[in-house]
């Protein structure tokens, strides 16, 4: 934890509303003559944590040998998406102008952006392997960094990181290992959240935007050791999640079977899209472990021209990764147009 935050202490006695403790609330400076949103939300949002964890336990039950773990507000912090979670971690644990953090290009662009915003130097250790899934554990362990930022499944490559490499890193690296799991629901491999009890330096970031289909609510979560979560609360602004968002999210999480169907529908369409793209004459390879498909092409300019003529917007050379194109999974109709576009010859 940064020295400045240790000196500050908690940002006031925020938590459950006084009314929930049988107290008359004359402390919050709310307008009693206001409308339905006149009151601040509960700062702890434990009710949302319970609904979220209950949904996760149905959608991704723990592996057979994983120890059972109780998740509460002590080890789960609801955030405004996974990017907000990453921002809080950098703000809490990394000294500006002093600390470095390791990234593994090709990696999520906001890792670099937020680190630079907070004055934290980047230490790149590129991914290896034909699928861009191997970590150089020896370099990461000996690097002059306080933390490692990882994305699994990785964005923009749409590949899972090698599980044995991750196990080694968690065992050998003494600093924070932050794993962004924004797309983990789209792969059969278990979430790393089940390893938090074994590795107190592990921080797992989650999103409700992708697999759960709740992007408009802008919600995510940090799952970590209680000491890490307590430190982050010191750097976090109070009342971070608005009441209407909490209410809407609880409604969305009420039936995990609906969330499961959303995930399965996208996975089915993703796999169909990836298989079709793999057969396109313009595509070398297609990666599809995340909630999108990334293709490797010979001539990105030619493919970009074809997509532009068809008025299809994708991410060309994502985060500067040359000869690659990141493609979101669209509706079957939109995906059919994409496939036809890449299969058609470019007119001269």
């Amino acid at each position: 934890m940064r020295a400045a935050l240790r000196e500050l202490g908690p940002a006031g006695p925020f938590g459950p509303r006084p009314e929930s403790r049988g107290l008359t609330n004359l402390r919050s400076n709310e307008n009693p003559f206001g409308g339905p949103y006149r009151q601040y939300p509960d700062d702890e949002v434990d009710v949302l944590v319970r609904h979220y964890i209950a949904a996760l336990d149905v959608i991704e039950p723990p592996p057979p040998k994983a120890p059972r773990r109780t998740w509460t507000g002590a080890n789960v912090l609801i955030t405004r998406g996974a990017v907000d979670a990453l921002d809080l971690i950098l703000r809490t644990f990394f000294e500006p102008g002093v600390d470095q953090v390791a990234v593994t290009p090709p990696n999520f662009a906001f890792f670099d952006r937020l680190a630079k915003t907070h004055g934290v130097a980047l230490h790149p250790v590129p991914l290896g392997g034909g699928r861009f899934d191997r970590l150089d554990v020896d370099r990461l362990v000996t690097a002059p960094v306080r933390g490692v930022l990882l994305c699994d499944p990785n964005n923009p490559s749409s590949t899972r990181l090698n599980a044995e490499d991750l196990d080694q890193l968690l065992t050998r690296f003494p600093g924070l290992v932050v794993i962004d799991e924004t797309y983990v629901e789209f792969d059969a491999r278990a979430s790393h959240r089940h390893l938090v009890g074994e590795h107190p330096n592990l921080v797992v970031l989650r999103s409700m935007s992708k697999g759960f289909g709740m992007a408009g609510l802008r919600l995510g979560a940090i799952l970590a050791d209680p000491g890490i979560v307590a430190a982050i609360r010191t750097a976090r602004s109070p009342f971070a999640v608005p009441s209407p968002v909490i209410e809407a999210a609880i409604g969305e999480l009420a039936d995990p079977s609906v969330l499961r169907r959303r995930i399965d529908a996208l996975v089915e369409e993703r796999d169909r899209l990836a298989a079709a793209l793999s057969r396109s004459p313009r595509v070398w390879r297609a990666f599809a472990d995340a909630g999108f498909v990334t293709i490797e092409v010979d001539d990105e300019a030619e493919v970009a021209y074809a997509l532009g003529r068809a008025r299809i917007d994708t991410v060309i050379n994502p985060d500067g990764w040359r000869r690659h194109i990141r493609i979101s999974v669209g509706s079957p109709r939109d995906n059919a147009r994409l496939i036809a576009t890449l299969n058609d010859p470019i007119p001269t």
Side-chain angles (χ1 to χ4, degrees), residues 321-343:
W321 197 27
R322 298 297 306 276
R323 297 193 305 277
H324 290 84
I325 299 174
R326 196 189 72 191
I327 302 170
S328 299
V329 178
S331 67
R333 180 178 179 179
D334 290 341
N335 294 335
R337 284 187 59 236
L338 169 75
I339 294 164
T341 298
L342 293 184
N343 287 338

Side-chain angles (χ1 to χ4, degrees), residues 34-87:
Y37 305 120
R38 66 185 179 275
Q39 293 182 336
Y40 288 110
D42 278 343
D43 196 46
E44 301 296 338
V45 292
D46 280 349
V47 62
L48 180 52
V49 169
R50 289 196 298 271
H51 280 81
Y52 178 55
I53 294 300
L56 285 185
D57 285 342
V58 171
I59 290 166
E60 48 176 46
K65 295 183 180 180
R68 298 297 300 180
R69 184 172 182 81
T70 300
W71 296 96
T72 68
N75 47 24
V76 180
L77 183 66
I78 299 297
T79 63
R80 293 178 299 226
V83 170
D84 178 48
L86 178 63
D87 182 80

Side-chain angles (χ1 to χ4, degrees), residues 21-239:
R21 292 174 282 140
L23 304 176
T24 299
N25 185 358
L26 297 180
R27 64 167 298 126
S28 299
N29 294 343
E30 299 161 336
N31 187 343
F33 308 104
Y37 305 120
R38 66 185 179 275
Q39 293 182 336
Y40 288 110
D42 278 343
D43 196 46
E44 301 296 338
V45 292
D46 280 349
V47 62
L48 180 52
V49 169
R50 289 196 298 271
H51 280 81
Y52 178 55
I53 294 300
L56 285 185
D57 285 342
V58 171
I59 290 166
E60 48 176 46
K65 295 183 180 180
R68 298 297 300 180
R69 184 172 182 81
T70 300
W71 296 96
T72 68
N75 47 24
V76 180
L77 183 66
I78 299 297
T79 63
R80 293 178 299 226
V83 170
D84 178 48
L86 178 63
D87 182 80
L88 287 169
I89 288 164
L90 288 166
R91 189 189 311 172
T92 305
F93 296 107
F94 295 86
E95 293 286 356
V98 176
D99 291 333
Q100 297 186 55
V101 65
V103 292
T104 56
N107 58 267
F108 185 37
F110 264 86
F111 287 179
D112 299 20
R113 185 181 185 89
L114 288 175
K116 291 176 180 177
T117 299
H118 287 284
V120 178
L122 294 165
H123 188 94
V125 181
L127 293 172
R131 287 177 49 82
F132 307 97
D133 60 347
R134 299 304 304 269
L135 297 172
D136 191 334
V137 178
D138 289 336
R139 282 187 63 189
L140 289 170
V141 169
T142 57
V145 299
R146 281 181 57 86
V148 178
L149 304 182
L150 302 172
C151 204
D152 189 36
N154 191 37
N155 180 7
S157 67
S158 195
T159 56
R160 291 301 307 257
L161 297 176
N162 180 275
E164 292 182 3
D165 291 349
L166 276 171
D167 287 343
Q168 282 194 46
L169 182 67
L170 287 169
T171 301
R172 296 172 56 190
F173 185 70
L176 285 183
V177 177
V178 181
I179 304 181
D180 182 339
E181 288 192 338
T182 291
Y183 296 97
V184 75
E185 295 95 349
F186 299 116
D187 188 75
R189 208 165 87 195
S191 164
H192 300 93
R193 71 184 178 100
H194 305 297
L195 301 175
V196 166
E198 301 174 39
H199 302 284
N201 62 329
L202 171 61
V203 182
V204 175
L205 312 185
R206 298 295 296 260
S207 172
M208 302 185 211
S209 298
K210 311 299 185 181
F212 287 8
M214 295 160 53
L217 295 181
R218 300 300 299 125
L219 285 173
I222 296 171
L223 294 87
D225 181 84
I228 288 177
V229 172
I232 295 171
R233 288 187 190 278
T234 303
R236 180 179 184 241
S237 299
F239 314 122

Side-chain angles (χ1 to χ4, degrees), residues 273 277 291-295 307 314-315 325-329 335 338 342:
L273 174 62
L277 290 172
F292 54 89
V293 180
T294 296
I295 59 174
L307 294 172
T314 60
V315 182
I325 299 174
R326 196 189 72 191
I327 302 170
S328 299
V329 178
N335 294 335
L338 169 75
L342 293 184

